[in-house]
Amino acid sequence: LPTIGATVLATLITRAIVGGGPIYGQRSFRFDAPWELLAYAALGLLALFAIPLAAIGVASFMLFLVRAQNRVTAIRMAIGAEPAQVRQEVLLMGLATSALGLSAGVVMGITLGWMMRARLFGVNGFDPASLIVTVGLFAALSVAATWLPARIASQTNPSVLLRESAD
């Protein structure tokens, strides 16, 4: 019964888009084997966990770089660098790192899509809309993940940090 309902719904949507013309070769979407549904659900669940994991990875990497350059940042602020300049530098460093990762991901995604064309029946291996949305999502994610380490770096108190490193 769910298959019939999906077929009727697909027919109604298609006729609304096409304008009532004949529809040929229509069939419902179903999995050939029960394990395919489980495999696709597991893949979706892994993708759902990959997004926050990527944000945590970018944030921890940037926090590591900020902590490693704490003394340099303190010296720069002691001789007159503004907190906004320090924040901007850390943000640019994080975005440059993220741009490298995004570039590699785009190249790998296009390459894998091209390689999978034989398995994607009726679907092109390259979808510009989903590529743009994905790149935009991860670019926004990298900005958000880089903001906290940049803020921490800009709030460095040079006198306290230099006094602690002299001990």
Side-chain angles (χ1 to χ4, degrees), residues 133-159:
V133 168
T134 303
V135 168
L137 171 75
F138 279 102
L141 194 69
S142 67
V143 169
T146 307
W147 181 256
L148 180 65
R151 188 167 166 236
I152 289 172
S154 67
Q155 292 177 346
T156 301
N157 188 347
S159 62

Side-chain angles (χ1 to χ4, degrees), residues 27-116:
R27 63 187 180 118
S28 64
F29 179 77
R30 61 170 217 259
F31 297 100
D32 293 333
W35 59 268
E36 286 183 348
L37 179 61
L38 182 62
Y40 287 123
L43 186 62
L45 191 62
L46 286 175
L48 191 64
F49 284 122
I51 293 171
L53 191 61
I56 291 169
V58 170
S60 61
F61 176 71
M62 289 309 303
L63 199 55
F64 170 76
L65 289 179
V66 164
R67 294 291 184 206
Q69 295 180 348
N70 241 356
R71 185 176 163 91
V72 174
T73 303
I75 292 171
R76 284 186 60 224
M77 290 182 80
I79 60 173
E82 294 294 322
Q85 292 172 324
V86 172
R87 187 172 37 248
Q88 180 181 9
E89 179 184 325
V90 173
L91 277 172
L92 287 175
M93 186 172 45
L95 293 179
T97 305
S98 297
L100 285 173
L102 283 171
S103 302
V106 166
V107 169
M108 288 184 347
I110 291 172
T111 304
L112 287 174
W114 179 76
M115 291 170 59
M116 294 286 293

